[in-house]
Amino acid sequence: MKTYSISEVAKELNLTPYTLRYYDKEGLMPFVERTSSGTRLFKESDIGALKVIECLKATGMPIKEIKKFIDWCSDGDSTLQQRYDMFMERKATVEAQMEELKKTMEVIEHKCLYYQTALDAGTEDIHKENSPIGEPRSWAKTEA
C-alpha cells in the first residue's frame, strides 16, 4: 500500500505541513499511522478523510465540532444518526450561505452593468438620476 509524506499530502490538499500538524495536535487525525520514529504515514483513505475535514472547515464549522465528528466516526455505527444530523445541519448552513452569495452576485452584476453602461457612454452622467454610488433610487429604504 502506497503511503505519503506530510509534505506530499499538504501539497495535494493545498495546505501547509504546519496546518496538518495542527490538525493532528487537535485530534483530527487519529487515523494516521506513524513510523517507530514518529513520522506520519498517510494512506489514500487518510487523504479522503482530510478532504472531508477541509469541506467541513469551509462551511465555517469550528475545529472543536469537527473533532466531535471525527470522534463519532471512531465510535462506529452507534453515532450514525448524529453524523447524519450534523451533515443535514451543514447542508442547511451552506444553502443559506449560497443564498447570501446569490444576493451579493446580483449587486455585483448590477454594478458591472452600471459601469459598463457608463464606460460605453463615456460618462457616469447617464445614471445621474441614481445615487452617488450607482444604486437605483428604488433601492433606498425611505419612509414617506
Side-chain angles (χ1 to χ4, degrees):
M1 174 187 347
K2 179 161 174 43
T3 58
Y4 303 88
S5 70
I6 195 167
S7 297
E8 290 171 319
V9 173
K11 186 176 180 183
E12 167 77 19
L13 298 175
N14 199 27
L15 298 170
T16 64
Y18 172 82
T19 299
L20 291 172
R21 286 186 198 98
Y22 172 73
Y23 286 176
D24 196 19
K25 184 177 129 266
E26 292 298 313
L28 301 183
M29 300 184 337
F31 44 80
V32 174
E33 294 176 15
R34 289 179 180 255
T35 65
S36 57
S37 62
T39 303
R40 292 169 188 87
L41 295 175
F42 293 86
K43 300 181 301 268
E44 202 66 47
S45 60
D46 299 337
I47 295 171
L50 285 163
K51 286 179 180 177
V52 172
I53 289 168
E54 284 301 291
C55 172
L56 293 173
K57 200 166 141 249
T59 71
M61 182 180 258
I63 295 288
K64 238 181 216 176
E65 293 296 309
I66 296 172
K67 166 76 167 95
K68 189 186 303 182
F69 167 70
I70 297 297
D71 291 344
W72 286 339
C73 291
S74 297
D75 291 343
D77 289 348
S78 65
T79 62
L80 284 172
Q81 186 67 53
Q82 289 98 319
R83 289 182 270 162
Y84 173 79
D85 292 345
M86 185 211 70
F87 271 99
M88 290 303 291
E89 182 184 309
R90 287 290 102 196
K91 182 177 183 248
T93 298
V94 170
E95 286 169 344
Q97 290 169 337
M98 289 170 65
E99 280 304 308
E100 284 302 309
L101 284 173
K102 268 169 87 175
K103 291 176 189 172
T104 300
M105 183 57 84
E106 288 172 10
V107 172
I108 289 170
E109 285 173 344
H110 164 77
K111 299 304 283 178
C112 288
L113 181 61
Y114 172 92
Y115 287 112
Q116 185 61 59
T117 305
L119 282 167
D120 291 347
T123 178
E124 220 173 336
D125 288 347
I126 194 164
H127 300 294
K128 65 182 166 191
E129 73 280 357
N130 293 334
S131 71
I133 61 168
E135 292 183 12
R137 296 245 181 249
S138 61
W139 286 11
K141 304 262 191 239
T142 55
E143 297 282 326

